[in-house]
Amino acid sequence: MKVRKAVFPAAGFGTRFLPATKAIPKEMLPLVDKPLIQYTVEEAKASGIEEIIIVTGMGKSAIEDHFDTSFELELLLKEKGKRQTLGAIEEVSELMHFAYTRQKKPMGLGHAVLCAKNLVGNEPFAVFLGDDIIDARVPAMKQMLRVFKKYSSSILAVQRVPKSQAHLYGIIKAEKVSPRVYRVLDLVEKPKRPPSNLAIIGRYILTPEIFDALEGTGPGRGGEIQLTDAVKGLMKKQTVYAYEFEGERFDAGDKIGFLKANVALALKRPEMRAELKRFLKGLNL
Ligand code: G1P
């Protein structure tokens, strides 16, 4: 039961980032020098995923162009002798195999995953939410795949969040079964009274039975088809686990989280670190 495919829901309107996202997809906002979505695609590749299924919508063609070859641009860079930049451009289009499908109506995360049903087929698959950027020594999905190998069940990535923030997430109630691994007992999307502080973060490994569960899930929180509700449905038939990954997570779908991710990731880049540090210190905060 190898996990070969990953679904990337990317049909949202990016309303938290308006007006920046009026004409460009949120997924294409640059984090240091790469679009947001490239970080999660690279994490998928480094974790051994072979095929990416991007669920797009209206106005998202820049994502497809980004992961395609750009003949004219590559020719121009070749002629100008810009070998390093050419290498970076070629690398992007060779990252992995991409397939695209569209979510025709904004009916929520669960519905977006359901749109990928035919492309996924009858095999376990991963889901990546591009807003969650995870900086980790071992890629977060790679850590989860190790857990999947042992349990052969759906795995949700979780992280402890302050209680005051819990209403912003899907929250699980769970019992610990081994270090960092929990058996999920219950889960609820953006609860008013959170049953714990273990929040679902945007990485999932799901068995294909989730599609039946999604088809049987009606609108939930915000009137949308929630993935959290479908996982709850799946739990009637299968055990679901949660894994507390190691690594630092940034909520890049939020303006302040996006800024923090830019600073933290730029500080890790040798060519930017010294200058950026000097600038930040000079702010005399
Ligand atoms: C989604 C999920 C939620 C999860 C969160 C993680 O919510 O519905 O369960 O905790 O991603 O980032 P969103 O942030 O899209 O509202």
Side-chain angles (χ1 to χ4, degrees):
M1 280 229 291
K2 192 170 184 293
V3 178
R4 301 184 304 129
K5 300 179 182 178
V7 175
F8 281 57
F13 286 116
T15 45
R16 286 197 283 172
F17 263 106
L18 283 169
T21 48
K22 189 177 170 202
I24 56 161
K26 173 181 69 173
E27 293 76 12
M28 293 303 293
L29 293 177
L31 193 49
V32 188
D33 57 0
K34 291 187 279 193
L36 208 49
I37 193 168
Q38 195 173 329
Y39 287 84
T40 31
V41 167
E42 286 177 356
E43 182 190 324
K45 187 177 168 81
S47 305
I49 299 288
E50 293 161 13
E51 180 171 332
I52 305 260
I53 299 161
I54 305 188
V55 183
T56 65
M58 194 72 87
K60 299 280 185 164
S61 55
I63 300 177
E64 287 182 57
D65 290 343
H66 183 70
F67 292 114
D68 195 2
T69 43
S70 174
F71 180 75
E72 294 87 344
L73 180 61
E74 285 167 30
L75 191 68
L76 182 83
L77 293 170
K78 223 174 268 169
E79 280 172 5
K80 296 215 171 212
K82 302 211 164 182
R83 296 217 342 252
Q84 216 177 338
T85 319
L86 178 64
I89 295 287
E90 284 173 337
E91 222 171 80
V92 174
S93 63
E94 285 158 13
L95 266 174
M96 42 218 296
H97 184 265
F98 293 90
Y100 297 90
T101 186
R102 305 251 303 206
Q103 182 181 23
K104 292 181 186 142
K105 285 186 195 159
M107 287 169 68
L109 175 60
H111 178 256
V113 172
L114 185 56
C115 291
K117 180 182 169 177
N118 289 345
L119 289 171
V120 170
N122 190 27
E123 55 183 282
F125 64 102
V127 176
F128 286 76
L129 305 189
D131 283 353
D132 289 319
I133 298 294
I134 304 176
D135 184 33
R137 196 176 47 81
V138 177
M141 183 50 72
K142 195 171 186 172
Q143 298 175 41
M144 291 174 71
L145 286 164
R146 286 178 187 157
V147 182
F148 178 75
K149 215 171 168 186
K150 188 165 168 197
Y151 293 91
S152 299
S153 287
S154 297
I155 319 271
L156 318 176
V158 292
Q159 189 179 47
R160 290 196 185 276
V161 297
K163 270 251 153 117
S164 60
Q165 301 279 299
H167 67 280
L168 300 171
Y169 297 89
I171 297 288
I172 64 163
K173 186 177 158 200
E175 66 179 10
K176 203 170 191 159
V177 289
S178 65
R180 294 188 173 271
V181 181
Y182 301 83
R183 191 165 74 86
V184 180
L185 303 173
D186 196 10
L187 69 173
V188 43
E189 183 66 16
K190 305 196 173 78
K192 289 207 176 76
R193 270 183 294 278
S196 81
N197 65 345
L198 279 171
I200 302 169
I201 303 300
R203 303 288 183 277
Y204 308 73
I205 296 172
L206 299 168
T207 56
E209 288 75 18
I210 192 71
F211 293 121
D212 294 336
L214 279 165
E215 274 160 352
T217 302
R221 189 95 205 178
E224 298 187 336
I225 312 251
Q226 296 291 348
L227 184 57
T228 305
D229 295 342
V231 173
K232 194 169 165 148
L234 180 68
M235 277 167 53
K236 288 185 194 134
K237 292 194 180 146
Q238 298 178 353
T239 309
V240 172
Y241 293 90
Y243 172 70
E244 211 178 334
F245 61 90
E246 281 178 74
E248 190 178 359
R249 173 249 178 187
F250 299 96
D251 178 8
D254 168 76
K255 285 180 190 170
I256 196 77
F258 182 76
L259 285 173
K260 285 182 192 168
N262 262 297
V263 174
L265 296 180
L267 282 171
K268 291 200 162 195
R269 298 281 285 267
E271 75 278 20
M272 296 180 188
R273 185 175 168 79
E275 171 77 31
L276 183 57
K277 251 179 101 173
R278 213 171 344 209
F279 169 73
L280 291 171
K281 275 193 182 147
L283 291 176
N284 285 326
L285 301 170

